[in-house]
Amino acid sequence: MRHLTEIRWHGRGGQGAKTAALLLADVAFSIGKQVQGFPEYGPERMGAPVTAYDRISDSEIRVHSNIYEPDFVAVVDDTLLHDVDVTKGLKKEGAVLINTDKSKEEILPLLNGYEGKVYTIHARRVCMETLGKYFPNTPMLAAIVKISNVMDWDIFLKEMETSLKHKFAKKPEVLEGNLNALRLAYDAVQ
């Protein structure tokens, strides 16, 4: 892992971008990383654009601001590509991850000439196969860990299982579906 990895999340209210960013920060912290995970609030309503951030490092993080030049960007809703410049400030050696059922060729014209790596995942399909409901943040979380290589996959999966057991203590039937969503998403990134 590089000294500091910065990730910016774009989603819509209710899709779990904030939750994914906070879960990633929690897991990174649990394995000894220095972390920041935080949302940026605008109009707090369902469907409104939401931005969240992660900073993950092996050493102390001294910057306390939004992330303007991220290493990676995760786009939870591809309809944002028409309204938000998701690649603004994104480092060329970084990558953008987009939840979409479209091909990369269809997506590229919407990325304002971004020349870095572009990854896609069909999070809806992953969710429906594993959860029976659409919660895109779980597949997106696995996918961003894969493309960013911010931590070892096996360690991430183990720590997520611990976190999800706690989160879903009163709904243990949800645990296996979420773990399956993480595993399937890891393999589904293109």
Side-chain angles (χ1 to χ4, degrees), residues 85-123:
D85 182 2
V86 299
T87 59
K88 183 177 183 180
L90 179 56
K91 295 174 182 168
K92 187 176 176 180
E93 59 277 2
V96 61
L97 167 69
I98 303 164
N99 171 20
T100 187
D101 61 353
K102 296 174 178 66
S103 69
K104 286 183 190 175
E105 292 71 29
E106 292 173 276
I107 294 295
L108 287 174
L110 302 173
L111 298 180
N112 298 317
Y114 179 65
E115 297 176 1
K117 294 177 185 169
V118 177
Y119 294 89
T120 62
I121 183 166
H122 192 334

Side-chain angles (χ1 to χ4, degrees), residues 38-50:
F38 55 98
E40 176 181 0
Y41 289 105
E44 297 178 42
R45 66 181 194 277
M46 188 73 76
V50 171

Side-chain angles (χ1 to χ4, degrees), residues 60-73:
E60 183 180 0
I61 300 171
R62 294 177 182 249
V63 63
H64 299 281
S65 67
N66 289 348
I67 296 173
Y68 301 104
E69 295 181 349
D71 300 295
F72 301 95
V73 168

Side-chain angles (χ1 to χ4, degrees), residues 7-9 21 36-40 51-55 66-67:
I7 301 169
R8 187 174 64 214
W9 296 80
Q36 293 177 355
F38 55 98
E40 176 181 0
T51 308
Y53 306 92
D54 282 302
R55 283 192 179 94
N66 289 348
I67 296 173

Side-chain angles (χ1 to χ4, degrees), residues 19-179:
T19 300
L22 296 179
L23 273 171
L24 181 57
D26 284 346
V27 169
F29 181 76
S30 72
I31 64 169
K33 303 290 184 187
Q34 299 293 311
V35 301
Q36 293 177 355
F38 55 98
E40 176 181 0
Y41 289 105
E44 297 178 42
R45 66 181 194 277
M46 188 73 76
V50 171
T51 308
Y53 306 92
D54 282 302
R55 283 192 179 94
I56 301 171
S57 180
D58 290 324
S59 57
E60 183 180 0
I61 300 171
R62 294 177 182 249
V63 63
H64 299 281
S65 67
N66 289 348
I67 296 173
Y68 301 104
E69 295 181 349
D71 300 295
F72 301 95
V73 168
V75 182
V76 182
D77 187 327
D78 66 353
T79 65
L80 289 167
L81 299 176
H82 299 284
D83 303 322
V84 177
D85 182 2
V86 299
T87 59
K88 183 177 183 180
L90 179 56
K91 295 174 182 168
K92 187 176 176 180
E93 59 277 2
V96 61
L97 167 69
I98 303 164
N99 171 20
T100 187
D101 61 353
K102 296 174 178 66
S103 69
K104 286 183 190 175
E105 292 71 29
E106 292 173 276
I107 294 295
L108 287 174
L110 302 173
L111 298 180
N112 298 317
Y114 179 65
E115 297 176 1
K117 294 177 185 169
V118 177
Y119 294 89
T120 62
I121 183 166
H122 192 334
R124 180 176 296 277
R125 183 174 50 220
V126 170
C127 288
M128 298 314 288
E129 286 181 30
T130 58
L131 300 168
K133 294 181 180 179
Y134 185 47
F135 298 107
N137 60 337
T138 300
M140 292 297 291
L141 185 54
I144 200 70
V145 167
K146 179 178 183 173
I147 69 165
S148 69
N149 202 24
V150 74
M151 67 184 73
D152 179 79
W153 171 250
D154 292 327
I155 293 171
F156 167 76
L157 195 58
K158 179 182 174 208
E159 293 299 322
M160 278 300 297
E161 182 174 6
T162 301
S163 177
L164 292 171
K165 277 182 183 175
H166 177 72
K167 181 177 180 173
F168 296 122
K170 294 184 180 181
K171 298 189 245 176
E173 69 280 2
V174 178
L175 175 65
E176 198 57 40
N178 276 277
L179 291 174

